[in-house]
Amino acid sequence: MELLKNKVAVVTGGTRGIGFAIVKTYLQNGAKVAVFGSRQETVEKALAKLREENPAWDVTGGWPDLGQYAQVEAALAEVKAHYGRIDILVNNAGISGRESLYTYDPAAFEKTMALNVNAVFYSCRAVAPIMKEQGGGVILNTSSMVSMYGQPSGVAYPASKSAINGLTRSLARELGKDHIRVNAVAPGITRTDMLAALPQELVDRISAGIPLGRVGEPQDLANAFLFLASDLASYITGDVLHVDGAAMT
Ligand code: NAD
C-alpha cells in the first residue's frame, strides 16, 4: 500500500541516518521527495544512491543554510514551484553534543540551538503559508527521548529538544484550523553517526536498560514518520511520539 501516493515531502538532513531512511520510506510509499542537506556534495551523493536503487523515484535536492531564514524560504519556494505543493515537511536535521557546563563554549550552545530550534522555526514559518493556501499539510519535527529525561552533559541538546516539544504542541494548536497537523517523533538511541559520537559507556548503559533489548534502527524511526505523515494519522496532532523501546536514561 502506498501511504503517501502523490504527496510532496521535504526532509531536512535527509542525506544520511534517520533522515535518509525517511526519504527512502517516503519514496517507497509513492511520495515525491526533496532532500535537504548541508552540502551539495552529500545531497548529490544521496540522490545518486536513491536513483540507482529506483530510477522511477521522483527525488530532488537542495542545500540551503538552515540557519538563514531567507535561504530556507527560498529553498521551500523552489520545491513548491517544482512540484506545485508541499504536503509534508520533516524537520530532521540536528546536532548533539556532550560538553561539560564548566568548559562549555557559549558559541557551541548557540550553534546547537540555531540548528535544532531556530532552523525548525524558520522552516515552519516558511512552509505554513504554502500549506494553508493549498488547504492543509503535515509538519513533523524531530525531538529526542532526552527531551523528557535530560542528559548528564551537553545541556544544549536536551534543551533544544524540549523546545521542539513545546513548538510542536503550540503550532498544532495554532495551525489546526488551517488543517495543518504538527507532530514530533522522539527517537531513543538509534544506530546512526550520532550514536558513534556518544561515549561507549553511556551507550552500553542505556542499551542494557532498554526493555526491547536493542537500540533503534533508522527504519524503526522512518516507520513512525511514515505513519504520522499519512492519512492514517488524520486525527493526531500536537503529539510527541516516543520511538525508543521504552528506554529511559
Ligand atoms: P546524523 O548525524 O546521522 O544526521 C544528521 C543529519 O542532519 C545529516 O543529514 C546532516 O547532514 C544534517 N545536518 C547536520 N548539521 C546540519 C546543518 N548545519 N545544516 C543542515 N543539515 C545538517 O543524525 P541522526 O541520528 O540521523 O539524527 C537525525 C535526527 O534525529 C536529529 O534531529 C537528532 O537530534 C535526532 N535524534 C537522533 C538520535 C540517535 O540516537 N541517532 C536520538 C534522538 C534524536
Side-chain angles (χ1 to χ4, degrees):
M1 183 166 52
E2 289 193 333
L3 288 175
L4 304 180
K5 199 165 175 51
N6 294 325
K7 301 274 189 197
V8 175
V10 175
V11 181
T12 73
T15 57
R16 62 170 199 253
I18 295 169
F20 189 73
I22 295 169
V23 168
K24 226 170 117 170
T25 302
Y26 280 11
L27 289 167
Q28 287 164 341
N29 278 272
K32 301 163 187 172
V33 183
V35 178
F36 284 5
S38 45
R39 288 187 296 127
Q40 180 173 357
E41 190 195 336
T42 51
V43 172
E44 283 175 351
K45 226 166 124 185
L47 294 184
K49 210 165 146 187
L50 292 162
R51 287 174 182 144
E52 193 186 310
E53 185 157 344
N54 188 341
W57 282 343
D58 191 343
V59 59
T60 57
W63 42 93
D65 179 346
L66 298 179
Q68 302 291 330
Y69 179 68
Q71 286 197 33
V72 173
E73 193 179 35
L76 289 170
E78 214 172 289
V79 175
K80 153 96 166 116
H82 183 74
Y83 287 120
R85 53 192 298 115
I86 300 176
D87 299 291
I88 303 155
L89 166 69
V90 179
N91 290 307
N92 163 78
I95 46 173
S96 66
R98 308 296 308 173
E99 300 88 341
S100 159
L101 184 66
Y102 293 105
T103 51
Y104 219 125
D105 179 351
F109 183 92
E110 284 156 16
K111 187 177 167 199
T112 302
M113 299 305 272
L115 181 67
N116 292 10
V117 184
N118 298 15
V120 174
F121 165 75
Y122 294 163
S123 56
C124 290
R125 169 70 183 84
V127 88
I130 295 172
M131 291 181 170
K132 181 182 178 184
E133 194 199 340
Q134 72 195 14
V138 178
I139 296 173
L140 298 177
N141 298 322
T142 309
S143 180
S144 166
M145 72 174 186
V146 302
S147 70
M148 300 294 290
Y149 312 118
Q151 60 185 32
S153 60
V155 70
Y157 186 68
S160 72
K161 296 302 187 180
S162 297
I164 287 303
N165 296 351
L167 182 144
T168 298
R169 293 195 186 101
S170 301
L171 289 185
R173 295 184 66 173
E174 185 171 351
L175 302 179
K177 65 180 184 324
D178 301 319
H179 310 290
I180 301 170
R181 295 190 293 107
V182 188
N183 290 293
V185 173
I189 295 276
T190 308
R191 198 184 303 282
T192 68
D193 291 356
M194 205 171 259
L195 191 67
L198 294 179
Q200 192 55 43
E201 177 270 325
L202 181 64
V203 176
D204 290 346
R205 185 160 56 81
I206 294 170
S207 299
I210 296 174
L212 286 185
R214 64 175 176 86
V215 299
E217 298 297 332
Q219 191 63 49
D220 293 317
L221 275 303
N223 293 342
F225 279 95
L226 171 63
F227 165 66
L228 288 173
S230 78
D231 290 342
L232 293 177
S234 55
Y235 199 54
I236 301 176
T237 193
D239 197 28
V240 179
L241 178 61
H242 291 252
V243 182
D244 58 10
M248 285 188 4
T249 49

